[in-house]
mmCIF file of all heavy atoms in Angstrom:
data_model
loop_
_atom_site.group_PDB
_atom_site.id
_atom_site.type_symbol
_atom_site.label_atom_id
_atom_site.label_comp_id
_atom_site.label_asym_id
_atom_site.label_seq_id
_atom_site.Cartn_x
_atom_site.Cartn_y
_atom_site.Cartn_z
ATOM 1 N N HIS A 993 -12.601 11.825 -0.671
ATOM 2 C CA HIS A 993 -11.912 10.756 0.042
ATOM 3 C C HIS A 993 -11.938 9.478 -0.799
ATOM 4 O O HIS A 993 -12.845 9.275 -1.597
ATOM 5 C CB HIS A 993 -12.629 10.453 1.365
ATOM 6 C CG HIS A 993 -12.073 11.161 2.540
ATOM 7 N ND1 HIS A 993 -12.369 12.469 2.829
ATOM 8 C CD2 HIS A 993 -11.227 10.742 3.512
ATOM 9 C CE1 HIS A 993 -11.740 12.829 3.939
ATOM 10 N NE2 HIS A 993 -11.037 11.796 4.365
ATOM 11 N N ALA A 994 -10.969 8.627 -0.563
ATOM 12 C CA ALA A 994 -10.989 7.256 -1.066
ATOM 13 C C ALA A 994 -10.895 6.346 0.149
ATOM 14 O O ALA A 994 -10.348 6.741 1.195
ATOM 15 C CB ALA A 994 -9.833 7.004 -2.026
ATOM 16 N N ILE A 995 -11.429 5.163 0.029
ATOM 17 C CA ILE A 995 -11.345 4.165 1.099
ATOM 18 C C ILE A 995 -10.920 2.853 0.458
ATOM 19 O O ILE A 995 -11.437 2.462 -0.591
ATOM 20 C CB ILE A 995 -12.689 3.995 1.839
ATOM 21 C CG1 ILE A 995 -13.108 5.323 2.475
ATOM 22 C CG2 ILE A 995 -12.580 2.890 2.894
ATOM 23 C CD1 ILE A 995 -14.490 5.295 3.114
ATOM 24 N N SER A 996 -9.968 2.177 1.093
ATOM 25 C CA SER A 996 -9.472 0.907 0.556
ATOM 26 C C SER A 996 -9.298 -0.109 1.674
ATOM 27 O O SER A 996 -9.233 0.236 2.851
ATOM 28 C CB SER A 996 -8.155 1.126 -0.183
ATOM 29 O OG SER A 996 -7.210 1.728 0.668
ATOM 30 N N VAL A 997 -9.204 -1.372 1.271
ATOM 31 C CA VAL A 997 -8.979 -2.490 2.188
ATOM 32 C C VAL A 997 -7.679 -3.161 1.768
ATOM 33 O O VAL A 997 -7.479 -3.444 0.580
ATOM 34 C CB VAL A 997 -10.136 -3.508 2.105
ATOM 35 C CG1 VAL A 997 -9.895 -4.662 3.078
ATOM 36 C CG2 VAL A 997 -11.471 -2.838 2.371
ATOM 37 N N HIS A 998 -6.787 -3.406 2.732
ATOM 38 C CA HIS A 998 -5.472 -3.998 2.465
ATOM 39 C C HIS A 998 -5.301 -5.229 3.343
ATOM 40 O O HIS A 998 -5.718 -5.224 4.501
ATOM 41 C CB HIS A 998 -4.362 -2.993 2.802
ATOM 42 C CG HIS A 998 -4.489 -1.726 2.023
ATOM 43 N ND1 HIS A 998 -3.564 -1.343 1.092
ATOM 44 C CD2 HIS A 998 -5.434 -0.759 2.037
ATOM 45 C CE1 HIS A 998 -3.935 -0.199 0.553
ATOM 46 N NE2 HIS A 998 -5.070 0.180 1.116
ATOM 47 N N ALA A 999 -4.651 -6.271 2.813
ATOM 48 C CA ALA A 999 -4.357 -7.472 3.593
ATOM 49 C C ALA A 999 -2.947 -7.952 3.253
ATOM 50 O O ALA A 999 -2.509 -7.838 2.099
ATOM 51 C CB ALA A 999 -5.371 -8.567 3.297
ATOM 52 N N TYR A 1000 -2.256 -8.493 4.268
ATOM 53 C CA TYR A 1000 -0.864 -8.923 4.114
ATOM 54 C C TYR A 1000 -0.643 -10.263 4.805
ATOM 55 O O TYR A 1000 -1.103 -10.483 5.927
ATOM 56 C CB TYR A 1000 0.089 -7.900 4.748
ATOM 57 C CG TYR A 1000 -0.148 -6.507 4.256
ATOM 58 C CD1 TYR A 1000 -0.887 -5.604 5.010
ATOM 59 C CD2 TYR A 1000 0.321 -6.098 3.014
ATOM 60 C CE1 TYR A 1000 -1.128 -4.326 4.551
ATOM 61 C CE2 TYR A 1000 0.080 -4.820 2.545
ATOM 62 C CZ TYR A 1000 -0.644 -3.940 3.315
ATOM 63 O OH TYR A 1000 -0.892 -2.677 2.848
ATOM 64 N N TYR A 1001 0.108 -11.133 4.136
ATOM 65 C CA TYR A 1001 0.505 -12.396 4.739
ATOM 66 C C TYR A 1001 1.943 -12.701 4.336
ATOM 67 O O TYR A 1001 2.257 -12.642 3.148
ATOM 68 C CB TYR A 1001 -0.392 -13.560 4.292
ATOM 69 C CG TYR A 1001 -0.015 -14.806 5.043
ATOM 70 C CD1 TYR A 1001 -0.510 -15.037 6.316
ATOM 71 C CD2 TYR A 1001 0.906 -15.710 4.511
ATOM 72 C CE1 TYR A 1001 -0.126 -16.153 7.034
ATOM 73 C CE2 TYR A 1001 1.296 -16.816 5.223
ATOM 74 C CZ TYR A 1001 0.777 -17.037 6.479
ATOM 75 O OH TYR A 1001 1.176 -18.121 7.206
ATOM 76 N N PRO A 1002 2.769 -13.063 5.305
ATOM 77 C CA PRO A 1002 2.447 -13.030 6.733
ATOM 78 C C PRO A 1002 2.242 -11.590 7.200
ATOM 79 O O PRO A 1002 2.576 -10.652 6.470
ATOM 80 C CB PRO A 1002 3.696 -13.656 7.382
ATOM 81 C CG PRO A 1002 4.801 -13.431 6.404
ATOM 82 C CD PRO A 1002 4.160 -13.438 5.042
ATOM 83 N N PRO A 1003 1.698 -11.410 8.425
ATOM 84 C CA PRO A 1003 1.554 -10.042 8.929
ATOM 85 C C PRO A 1003 2.870 -9.283 8.772
ATOM 86 O O PRO A 1003 3.947 -9.855 8.891
ATOM 87 C CB PRO A 1003 1.190 -10.246 10.397
ATOM 88 C CG PRO A 1003 0.487 -11.571 10.407
ATOM 89 C CD PRO A 1003 1.232 -12.408 9.386
ATOM 90 N N LEU A 1004 2.752 -8.009 8.482
ATOM 91 C CA LEU A 1004 3.932 -7.197 8.141
ATOM 92 C C LEU A 1004 5.020 -7.274 9.212
ATOM 93 O O LEU A 1004 4.815 -6.833 10.341
ATOM 94 C CB LEU A 1004 3.520 -5.735 7.957
ATOM 95 C CG LEU A 1004 2.568 -5.453 6.809
ATOM 96 C CD1 LEU A 1004 2.128 -3.993 6.835
ATOM 97 C CD2 LEU A 1004 3.195 -5.803 5.478
ATOM 98 N N PRO A 1005 6.206 -7.796 8.852
ATOM 99 C CA PRO A 1005 7.315 -7.822 9.806
ATOM 100 C C PRO A 1005 8.000 -6.457 9.889
ATOM 101 O O PRO A 1005 8.595 -6.115 10.901
ATOM 102 C CB PRO A 1005 8.258 -8.867 9.233
ATOM 103 C CG PRO A 1005 8.002 -8.823 7.754
ATOM 104 C CD PRO A 1005 6.544 -8.463 7.601
ATOM 105 N N LEU A 1006 7.915 -5.701 8.794
ATOM 106 C CA LEU A 1006 8.508 -4.359 8.723
ATOM 107 C C LEU A 1006 8.060 -3.723 7.425
ATOM 108 O O LEU A 1006 7.499 -4.379 6.554
ATOM 109 C CB LEU A 1006 10.044 -4.414 8.796
ATOM 110 C CG LEU A 1006 10.774 -5.238 7.728
ATOM 111 C CD1 LEU A 1006 11.118 -4.401 6.497
ATOM 112 C CD2 LEU A 1006 12.060 -5.793 8.314
ATOM 113 N N MET A 1007 8.293 -2.433 7.317
ATOM 114 C CA MET A 1007 8.090 -1.704 6.068
ATOM 115 C C MET A 1007 9.320 -0.846 5.841
ATOM 116 O O MET A 1007 9.796 -0.194 6.758
ATOM 117 C CB MET A 1007 6.848 -0.811 6.125
ATOM 118 C CG MET A 1007 5.556 -1.585 6.091
ATOM 119 S SD MET A 1007 4.098 -0.529 6.230
ATOM 120 C CE MET A 1007 4.184 0.397 4.730
ATOM 121 N N ARG A 1008 9.826 -0.892 4.623
ATOM 122 C CA ARG A 1008 10.930 -0.007 4.252
ATOM 123 C C ARG A 1008 10.339 1.176 3.506
ATOM 124 O O ARG A 1008 9.530 1.003 2.601
ATOM 125 C CB ARG A 1008 11.925 -0.741 3.354
ATOM 126 C CG ARG A 1008 12.668 -1.856 4.046
ATOM 127 C CD ARG A 1008 13.597 -2.570 3.044
ATOM 128 N NE ARG A 1008 14.007 -3.840 3.553
ATOM 129 C CZ ARG A 1008 13.324 -4.987 3.391
ATOM 130 N NH1 ARG A 1008 12.198 -5.005 2.727
ATOM 131 N NH2 ARG A 1008 13.784 -6.111 3.908
ATOM 132 N N ARG A 1009 10.752 2.377 3.891
ATOM 133 C CA ARG A 1009 10.286 3.606 3.241
ATOM 134 C C ARG A 1009 11.439 4.180 2.420
ATOM 135 O O ARG A 1009 12.584 4.198 2.867
ATOM 136 C CB ARG A 1009 9.826 4.611 4.272
ATOM 137 C CG ARG A 1009 8.651 4.062 5.056
ATOM 138 C CD ARG A 1009 7.623 5.122 5.337
ATOM 139 N NE ARG A 1009 6.470 4.535 5.973
ATOM 140 C CZ ARG A 1009 5.327 4.280 5.356
ATOM 141 N NH1 ARG A 1009 5.188 4.578 4.089
ATOM 142 N NH2 ARG A 1009 4.323 3.744 6.012
ATOM 143 N N TYR A 1010 11.095 4.661 1.225
ATOM 144 C CA TYR A 1010 12.081 5.158 0.278
ATOM 145 C C TYR A 1010 11.737 6.581 -0.150
ATOM 146 O O TYR A 1010 10.579 6.981 -0.135
ATOM 147 C CB TYR A 1010 12.098 4.280 -0.982
ATOM 148 C CG TYR A 1010 12.299 2.814 -0.715
ATOM 149 C CD1 TYR A 1010 11.216 1.940 -0.646
ATOM 150 C CD2 TYR A 1010 13.569 2.287 -0.534
ATOM 151 C CE1 TYR A 1010 11.402 0.589 -0.404
ATOM 152 C CE2 TYR A 1010 13.758 0.929 -0.287
ATOM 153 C CZ TYR A 1010 12.668 0.089 -0.227
ATOM 154 O OH TYR A 1010 12.859 -1.257 0.016
ATOM 155 N N SER A 1011 12.746 7.314 -0.573
ATOM 156 C CA SER A 1011 12.526 8.570 -1.285
ATOM 157 C C SER A 1011 12.980 8.332 -2.716
ATOM 158 O O SER A 1011 13.773 7.427 -2.990
ATOM 159 C CB SER A 1011 13.304 9.730 -0.650
ATOM 160 O OG SER A 1011 14.693 9.484 -0.716
ATOM 161 N N ARG A 1012 12.464 9.146 -3.603
ATOM 162 C CA ARG A 1012 12.831 8.968 -5.002
ATOM 163 C C ARG A 1012 13.008 10.317 -5.666
ATOM 164 O O ARG A 1012 12.167 11.204 -5.546
ATOM 165 C CB ARG A 1012 11.749 8.183 -5.734
ATOM 166 C CG ARG A 1012 12.136 7.938 -7.171
ATOM 167 C CD ARG A 1012 11.323 6.883 -7.809
ATOM 168 N NE ARG A 1012 11.752 6.748 -9.200
ATOM 169 C CZ ARG A 1012 11.074 6.138 -10.115
ATOM 170 N NH1 ARG A 1012 9.917 5.580 -9.817
ATOM 171 N NH2 ARG A 1012 11.524 6.076 -11.348
ATOM 172 N N THR A 1013 14.134 10.455 -6.369
ATOM 173 C CA THR A 1013 14.411 11.623 -7.191
ATOM 174 C C THR A 1013 14.798 11.104 -8.560
ATOM 175 O O THR A 1013 15.866 10.499 -8.717
ATOM 176 C CB THR A 1013 15.555 12.469 -6.588
ATOM 177 O OG1 THR A 1013 15.226 12.787 -5.237
ATOM 178 C CG2 THR A 1013 15.759 13.741 -7.391
ATOM 179 N N GLY A 1014 13.913 11.293 -9.550
ATOM 180 C CA GLY A 1014 14.176 10.747 -10.877
ATOM 181 C C GLY A 1014 14.374 9.256 -10.785
ATOM 182 O O GLY A 1014 13.580 8.552 -10.175
ATOM 183 N N PRO A 1015 15.470 8.735 -11.342
ATOM 184 C CA PRO A 1015 15.696 7.295 -11.307
ATOM 185 C C PRO A 1015 16.355 6.801 -10.009
ATOM 186 O O PRO A 1015 16.579 5.603 -9.858
ATOM 187 C CB PRO A 1015 16.625 7.063 -12.497
ATOM 188 C CG PRO A 1015 17.422 8.323 -12.575
ATOM 189 C CD PRO A 1015 16.445 9.425 -12.200
ATOM 190 N N VAL A 1016 16.645 7.701 -9.078
ATOM 191 C CA VAL A 1016 17.376 7.312 -7.869
ATOM 192 C C VAL A 1016 16.411 7.041 -6.710
ATOM 193 O O VAL A 1016 15.637 7.910 -6.314
ATOM 194 C CB VAL A 1016 18.404 8.389 -7.467
ATOM 195 C CG1 VAL A 1016 19.115 8.005 -6.178
ATOM 196 C CG2 VAL A 1016 19.414 8.595 -8.598
ATOM 197 N N LEU A 1017 16.470 5.814 -6.205
ATOM 198 C CA LEU A 1017 15.673 5.385 -5.066
ATOM 199 C C LEU A 1017 16.604 5.272 -3.868
ATOM 200 O O LEU A 1017 17.664 4.664 -3.961
ATOM 201 C CB LEU A 1017 15.034 4.026 -5.378
ATOM 202 C CG LEU A 1017 13.972 3.518 -4.422
ATOM 203 C CD1 LEU A 1017 12.704 4.371 -4.542
ATOM 204 C CD2 LEU A 1017 13.640 2.057 -4.735
ATOM 205 N N ARG A 1018 16.198 5.876 -2.757
ATOM 206 C CA ARG A 1018 17.043 5.882 -1.561
ATOM 207 C C ARG A 1018 16.258 5.313 -0.380
ATOM 208 O O ARG A 1018 15.143 5.755 -0.111
ATOM 209 C CB ARG A 1018 17.488 7.300 -1.248
ATOM 210 C CG ARG A 1018 18.335 7.416 0.032
ATOM 211 C CD ARG A 1018 18.739 8.846 0.329
ATOM 212 N NE ARG A 1018 19.488 9.446 -0.749
ATOM 213 C CZ ARG A 1018 20.799 9.297 -0.941
ATOM 214 N NH1 ARG A 1018 21.505 8.557 -0.135
ATOM 215 N NH2 ARG A 1018 21.394 9.900 -1.953
ATOM 216 N N LEU A 1019 16.841 4.342 0.317
ATOM 217 C CA LEU A 1019 16.251 3.807 1.532
ATOM 218 C C LEU A 1019 16.346 4.866 2.624
ATOM 219 O O LEU A 1019 17.435 5.333 2.945
ATOM 220 C CB LEU A 1019 16.976 2.532 1.971
ATOM 221 C CG LEU A 1019 16.512 1.918 3.282
ATOM 222 C CD1 LEU A 1019 15.069 1.449 3.198
ATOM 223 C CD2 LEU A 1019 17.431 0.766 3.671
ATOM 224 N N GLU A 1020 15.208 5.263 3.178
ATOM 225 C CA GLU A 1020 15.184 6.325 4.191
ATOM 226 C C GLU A 1020 14.935 5.809 5.596
ATOM 227 O O GLU A 1020 15.455 6.355 6.553
ATOM 228 C CB GLU A 1020 14.100 7.354 3.846
ATOM 229 C CG GLU A 1020 14.349 8.104 2.551
ATOM 230 C CD GLU A 1020 15.536 9.057 2.612
ATOM 231 O OE1 GLU A 1020 16.012 9.374 3.718
ATOM 232 O OE2 GLU A 1020 15.991 9.483 1.534
ATOM 233 N N GLN A 1021 14.099 4.769 5.719
ATOM 234 C CA GLN A 1021 13.679 4.353 7.058
ATOM 235 C C GLN A 1021 13.159 2.927 7.012
ATOM 236 O O GLN A 1021 12.563 2.506 6.018
ATOM 237 C CB GLN A 1021 12.565 5.292 7.527
ATOM 238 C CG GLN A 1021 12.045 5.047 8.900
ATOM 239 C CD GLN A 1021 10.988 6.087 9.287
ATOM 240 O OE1 GLN A 1021 10.536 6.870 8.474
ATOM 241 N NE2 GLN A 1021 10.598 6.062 10.535
ATOM 242 N N VAL A 1022 13.358 2.190 8.091
ATOM 243 C CA VAL A 1022 12.747 0.879 8.267
ATOM 244 C C VAL A 1022 11.840 0.982 9.485
ATOM 245 O O VAL A 1022 12.292 1.350 10.572
ATOM 246 C CB VAL A 1022 13.811 -0.227 8.466
ATOM 247 C CG1 VAL A 1022 13.138 -1.572 8.716
ATOM 248 C CG2 VAL A 1022 14.739 -0.300 7.260
ATOM 249 N N GLU A 1023 10.548 0.715 9.279
ATOM 250 C CA GLU A 1023 9.561 0.788 10.368
ATOM 251 C C GLU A 1023 9.174 -0.619 10.784
ATOM 252 O O GLU A 1023 9.069 -1.510 9.951
ATOM 253 C CB GLU A 1023 8.308 1.528 9.907
ATOM 254 C CG GLU A 1023 8.528 2.975 9.556
ATOM 255 C CD GLU A 1023 7.267 3.637 9.040
ATOM 256 O OE1 GLU A 1023 6.238 2.953 8.815
ATOM 257 O OE2 GLU A 1023 7.308 4.849 8.829
ATOM 258 N N HIS A 1024 8.892 -0.777 12.078
ATOM 259 C CA HIS A 1024 8.460 -2.061 12.633
ATOM 260 C C HIS A 1024 7.026 -1.952 13.133
ATOM 261 O O HIS A 1024 6.538 -0.836 13.337
ATOM 262 C CB HIS A 1024 9.442 -2.486 13.728
ATOM 263 C CG HIS A 1024 10.819 -2.723 13.193
ATOM 264 N ND1 HIS A 1024 11.190 -3.891 12.593
ATOM 265 C CD2 HIS A 1024 11.888 -1.899 13.092
ATOM 266 C CE1 HIS A 1024 12.435 -3.785 12.169
ATOM 267 N NE2 HIS A 1024 12.879 -2.585 12.461
ATOM 268 N N PRO A 1025 6.330 -3.067 13.337
ATOM 269 C CA PRO A 1025 4.893 -3.044 13.619
ATOM 270 C C PRO A 1025 4.404 -2.027 14.653
ATOM 271 O O PRO A 1025 3.405 -1.379 14.415
ATOM 272 C CB PRO A 1025 4.593 -4.468 14.045
ATOM 273 C CG PRO A 1025 5.566 -5.278 13.257
ATOM 274 C CD PRO A 1025 6.819 -4.439 13.233
ATOM 275 N N GLY A 1026 5.039 -1.863 15.761
ATOM 276 C CA GLY A 1026 4.559 -0.911 16.768
ATOM 277 C C GLY A 1026 4.593 0.538 16.322
ATOM 278 O O GLY A 1026 3.978 1.398 16.938
ATOM 279 N N GLU A 1027 5.302 0.814 15.238
ATOM 280 C CA GLU A 1027 5.492 2.191 14.788
ATOM 281 C C GLU A 1027 4.398 2.681 13.851
ATOM 282 O O GLU A 1027 4.318 3.857 13.566
ATOM 283 C CB GLU A 1027 6.866 2.320 14.124
ATOM 284 C CG GLU A 1027 7.979 2.023 15.088
ATOM 285 C CD GLU A 1027 9.352 1.841 14.434
ATOM 286 O OE1 GLU A 1027 9.452 1.877 13.203
ATOM 287 O OE2 GLU A 1027 10.314 1.625 15.188
ATOM 288 N N TRP A 1028 3.528 1.776 13.347
ATOM 289 C CA TRP A 1028 2.449 2.242 12.475
ATOM 290 C C TRP A 1028 1.087 1.810 12.962
ATOM 291 O O TRP A 1028 0.080 2.267 12.462
ATOM 292 C CB TRP A 1028 2.645 1.795 11.023
ATOM 293 C CG TRP A 1028 2.568 0.332 10.806
ATOM 294 C CD1 TRP A 1028 1.445 -0.451 10.830
ATOM 295 C CD2 TRP A 1028 3.648 -0.547 10.514
ATOM 296 N NE1 TRP A 1028 1.779 -1.749 10.588
ATOM 297 C CE2 TRP A 1028 3.115 -1.848 10.392
ATOM 298 C CE3 TRP A 1028 5.013 -0.374 10.351
ATOM 299 C CZ2 TRP A 1028 3.898 -2.960 10.105
ATOM 300 C CZ3 TRP A 1028 5.787 -1.473 10.064
ATOM 301 C CH2 TRP A 1028 5.235 -2.746 9.951
#
Side-chain angles (χ1 to χ4, degrees):
H993 265 80
I995 300 174
S996 56
V997 181
H998 302 246
Y1000 307 99
Y1001 185 83
L1004 296 174
L1006 58 90
M1007 288 178 66
R1008 293 178 197 87
R1009 298 219 175 257
Y1010 306 97
S1011 62
R1012 182 164 179 196
T1013 306
V1016 178
L1017 190 70
R1018 178 181 302 277
L1019 176 64
E1020 296 291 345
Q1021 182 177 9
V1022 177
E1023 296 177 353
H1024 297 278
E1027 298 168 356
W1028 66 73

